[in-house]
Amino acid sequence: MQTLANFGDGGGPGPWILLVPVIWALVIGGGITLLRRTAWRGRRGGPGQRSTVGNDSPIAVLGRRFASGDIDEDEYWRRLSVLNEEFGHKGGAG
């Protein structure tokens, strides 16, 4: 019965066996890179589409609260006008 160590002329698998971990490392690294780049584009809206308001900004939080129904429209506009004055954003409040 021939094993991997005694394959062929009895010299073992040879130096090509070192390529197997390198190939697996490249495959895994490429997969991670691909996932990180696509996830980054999904969160940020892709290159060239820059948001003027960050996701953690008070205005974004206010928008999420309004969208979820925590506050009504009058309260939303009242708070948005205060935030626009405080943070210097133009537009949005009328």
Side-chain angles (χ1 to χ4, degrees):
M1 182 159 117
Q2 291 184 346
T3 62
L4 186 60
N6 295 326
F7 186 75
D9 62 354
W16 62 268
I17 196 71
L18 298 174
L19 291 178
V20 174
V22 171
I23 291 171
W24 276 110
L26 289 174
V27 168
I28 292 171
I32 290 172
T33 302
L34 180 67
L35 288 174
R36 290 184 74 189
R37 292 190 74 158
T38 56
W40 179 80
R41 286 185 179 168
R43 283 195 310 266
R44 304 277 186 208
Q49 294 182 355
R50 299 288 178 185
S51 174
T52 58
V53 178
N55 288 336
D56 295 331
S57 73
I59 294 175
V61 172
L62 181 65
R64 285 194 297 270
R65 288 188 63 202
F66 177 64
S68 68
D70 291 342
I71 57 175
D72 63 353
E73 185 177 0
D74 291 332
E75 186 174 356
Y76 170 77
W77 288 114
R78 189 170 51 249
R79 290 182 181 205
L80 183 62
S81 65
V82 171
L83 290 174
N84 280 334
E85 289 174 10
E86 184 176 339
F87 289 101
H89 293 288
K90 303 295 180 202

